[in-house]
Amino acid sequence: MLKYSAAALGAVMLAGTANAQGLQVQGSDAFNLPDDISFIVEPTDPNVRRATARVNGAVITGTDVDHRVALILAAQETDLPPSEIQRLRLQVLRNLVDETLQVQEAAAQEMPVTTEEVEAAYERFAREGRGMSPDELGNYLASIGSSPRSIKRQIQGELAWDRLLRRNVQPFVNVSEGEVNELFQRLEASRGTTEYRLGEIFLSANSANREQVLANASQIIEQLRQGGSFVAYARQYSQASSAIVGGDLGWIRLAQLQQPTLEAAAQQMTPGQLVGPLEIPGGYSILLMIDQRQIGMADPRDAVLSLKQISISFPDGISSAEAEDRGAAFIDAVSSLNGCGDANLRAAAIGATTVDNDDITVRQLPEALQQVMLNLNVGEITPPFGDLSDGIRVLMLCGRDDPGETQGPSTDQIMAQLEDERVNRRAQSYLRDLRRDAVIEYD
């Protein structure tokens, strides 16, 4: 059994060096470590360690890890290889350790999260987040190998951490009016320039573990490209403060990244594109371009459309030749339509059906249709899409309400953003202190 305690490790490191107490050093060179490390006791292999831990006496069982892993796997679109699942289990265990520390700290600060609060939050999550009753969500969780307890445990940790930050961190974060006004003026000067909404997964690395971290980052991006959930991976693996919101950095200008490597990569990306791993000081980053817009300018994708879908389906058992003939006739017929006024009658004459939607924005459409729709005039149709098995359809533009000019963020919004950034930095430091002072035993 391994026991990790800041006090115990400190006693070993300071034995015989009493005059060095309180000395703060940075970097591995300060320890004068030899290049050829010879272990007295062979280190355990983290890939075979059982996922069970005690955190200041509180037990994290293998079942706790299994249930949390099952939640993550259910969100993936592809099956993960065994090596990736094992790595996920280790990360989940670390997350459970952090949650336990957060709950314990809230209790020690005499502001524990009650069972009633957790149950109320779980019910809201079931009904508003998943569209289920608590019982239905419980049945679903059981079907994927998880349990309500796993989600409730995560809820308890998040509520405890939010409570701690509100009392012990946020009151001590200050942003001056001068800082806000300076940023506001810079934003006004940048009106019309591009702003980016990015997702990031950051993995810290040093000279000793850089190769292993790079391999881990490469595996993560491979899984993401195969359909893995970026939000789920960011929450479990990212070591940036944005992990709690699935890696979403929000709307930023490239200069705010403060990393030339990330700036150069993001400038070349298009919405939906994934790049990485990118080496930066302190580790590696994986970037996802969620969206782009121009600061202070109306986004044409916010235009509200009035659309008419015209479609034709094919009966079961129809021959390919006949389906092709009917498809060609449909395409010829819709190509001759002159606006939405008589579209319903002419569609019925060729055996097609119509569906109207008078309140849909361009950005709600699939990406493949967005640019096509922006180039249409009222009364025109998209190119036909679909196939002979599902049917063929077109969309006709019957009306468009273009968006008005948008205003940039207010000074209050800028101040809130700056405060959030500083709270996040202090939150990471707070959590590091909790880990450092904890007694953690692994079985």
Side-chain angles (χ1 to χ4, degrees), residues 181-224:
N181 290 333
E182 180 183 354
L183 181 55
F184 180 80
Q185 291 170 4
R186 291 206 306 269
L187 289 174
E188 285 297 304
S190 64
R191 181 179 290 271
T193 59
T194 304
E195 194 175 35
Y196 303 84
R197 186 178 176 192
L198 291 168
E200 180 190 27
I201 297 174
F202 172 72
L203 304 177
S204 64
N206 53 47
S207 58
N209 67 359
R210 186 166 295 277
E211 290 186 5
Q212 181 58 50
V213 173
L214 175 59
N216 291 343
S218 298
Q219 289 179 350
I220 289 174
I221 199 168
E222 182 179 348
Q223 293 299 323
L224 292 174

Side-chain angles (χ1 to χ4, degrees), residues 42-195:
E42 285 299 315
T44 57
D45 183 351
N47 291 317
V48 298
R49 186 175 64 202
R50 289 168 51 200
T52 306
R54 291 177 179 81
V55 182
N56 295 326
V59 175
I60 298 173
T61 68
T63 301
D64 293 329
V65 177
D66 291 340
H67 286 182
R68 185 67 60 85
V69 168
L71 281 175
I72 300 169
L73 294 179
Q76 306 304 310
E77 296 181 4
T78 59
D79 293 333
L80 300 183
S83 59
E84 179 72 9
I85 293 177
Q86 180 59 36
R87 190 163 60 89
L88 176 61
R89 289 180 63 83
L90 293 175
Q91 182 62 46
V92 163
L93 178 58
R94 288 192 286 269
N95 293 346
L96 289 170
V97 168
D98 286 347
E99 288 175 14
T100 303
L101 291 173
Q102 291 161 354
V103 170
Q104 290 175 341
E105 176 70 0
Q109 297 280 335
E110 297 184 349
M111 46 183 179
V113 177
T114 65
T115 301
E116 291 75 17
E117 290 173 310
V118 173
E119 292 294 339
Y122 175 78
E123 183 171 352
R124 285 195 301 274
F125 170 76
R127 298 190 184 281
E128 300 174 11
R130 300 304 299 266
M132 304 178 182
S133 70
D135 288 341
E136 289 171 337
L137 179 58
N139 292 335
Y140 166 74
L141 294 172
S143 72
I144 64 171
S146 187
S147 67
R149 182 176 182 273
S150 185
I151 291 182
K152 291 176 183 179
R153 183 173 188 145
Q154 186 169 358
I155 289 172
Q156 184 183 23
E158 291 177 352
L159 291 177
W161 194 230
D162 180 70
R163 194 163 294 180
L164 288 167
L165 297 183
R166 286 180 182 275
R167 193 178 80 173
N168 298 340
V169 175
Q170 290 177 352
F172 306 101
V173 170
N174 296 308
V175 176
S176 70
E177 289 187 9
E179 292 176 283
V180 173
N181 290 333
E182 180 183 354
L183 181 55
F184 180 80
Q185 291 170 4
R186 291 206 306 269
L187 289 174
E188 285 297 304
S190 64
R191 181 179 290 271
T193 59
T194 304
E195 194 175 35

Side-chain angles (χ1 to χ4, degrees), residues 112-419:
V113 177
T114 65
T115 301
E116 291 75 17
E117 290 173 310
V118 173
E119 292 294 339
Y122 175 78
E123 183 171 352
R124 285 195 301 274
F125 170 76
R127 298 190 184 281
E128 300 174 11
R130 300 304 299 266
M132 304 178 182
S133 70
D135 288 341
E136 289 171 337
L137 179 58
N139 292 335
Y140 166 74
L141 294 172
S143 72
I144 64 171
S146 187
S147 67
R149 182 176 182 273
S150 185
I151 291 182
K152 291 176 183 179
R153 183 173 188 145
Q154 186 169 358
I155 289 172
Q156 184 183 23
E158 291 177 352
L159 291 177
W161 194 230
D162 180 70
R163 194 163 294 180
L164 288 167
L165 297 183
R166 286 180 182 275
R167 193 178 80 173
N168 298 340
V169 175
Q170 290 177 352
F172 306 101
V173 170
N174 296 308
V175 176
S176 70
E177 289 187 9
E179 292 176 283
V180 173
N181 290 333
E182 180 183 354
L183 181 55
F184 180 80
Q185 291 170 4
R186 291 206 306 269
L187 289 174
E188 285 297 304
S190 64
R191 181 179 290 271
T193 59
T194 304
E195 194 175 35
Y196 303 84
R197 186 178 176 192
L198 291 168
E200 180 190 27
I201 297 174
F202 172 72
L203 304 177
S204 64
N206 53 47
S207 58
N209 67 359
R210 186 166 295 277
E211 290 186 5
Q212 181 58 50
V213 173
L214 175 59
N216 291 343
S218 298
Q219 289 179 350
I220 289 174
I221 199 168
E222 182 179 348
Q223 293 299 323
L224 292 174
R225 285 174 173 157
Q226 293 177 6
S229 166
F230 188 92
V231 170
Y233 271 85
R235 287 179 67 93
Q236 295 301 324
Y237 290 108
S238 180
Q239 292 166 282
S241 58
S242 59
I244 193 170
V245 290
D248 190 348
L249 300 180
W251 288 104
I252 62 173
R253 288 167 293 115
L254 293 185
Q256 292 175 264
L257 293 173
Q258 299 181 344
Q259 293 290 347
T261 301
L262 300 184
E263 291 179 31
Q267 197 166 28
Q268 304 299 320
M269 295 171 67
T270 57
Q273 186 177 355
L274 190 72
V275 299
L278 302 170
E279 185 173 8
I280 61 174
Y284 293 91
S285 278
I286 297 170
L287 289 183
L288 171 67
M289 180 63 69
I290 301 172
D291 205 352
Q292 297 179 10
R293 67 185 182 189
Q294 291 199 302
I295 298 174
M297 308 296 287
D299 191 329
R301 291 172 299 172
D302 289 327
V304 179
L305 307 178
S306 175
L307 297 179
K308 183 183 294 290
Q309 177 178 270
I310 306 171
S311 60
I312 188 171
S313 58
F314 305 111
D316 294 337
I318 189 173
S319 68
S320 297
E322 186 179 357
E324 290 178 4
D325 289 342
R326 293 185 61 179
F330 169 78
I331 293 172
D332 288 341
V334 295
S335 298
S336 65
L337 293 176
N338 297 313
C340 298
D342 63 346
N344 288 353
L345 290 176
R346 296 185 63 181
I350 59 173
T353 59
T354 61
V355 177
D356 295 330
N357 188 327
D358 293 330
D359 187 21
I360 184 171
T361 63
V362 176
R363 69 171 63 251
Q364 290 176 281
L365 298 171
E367 282 189 29
L369 284 173
Q370 289 184 16
Q371 192 57 49
V372 172
M373 193 59 64
L374 289 174
N375 293 329
L376 291 184
N377 294 314
V378 173
E380 293 182 329
I381 62 171
T382 65
F385 56 95
D387 55 47
L388 297 182
S389 59
D390 295 331
I392 302 175
R393 69 185 78 178
V394 297
L395 294 177
M396 175 175 283
L397 179 62
C398 299
R400 172 168 47 210
D401 294 326
D402 291 319
E405 290 298 315
T406 59
Q407 299 295 322
S410 66
T411 54
D412 288 342
Q413 291 171 323
I414 292 173
M415 178 169 286
Q417 180 183 353
L418 292 175
E419 288 176 346

Side-chain angles (χ1 to χ4, degrees), residues 13-14 16-24:
M13 291 175 62
L14 296 180
T17 58
N19 293 333
Q21 289 187 11
L23 181 62
Q24 296 295 317

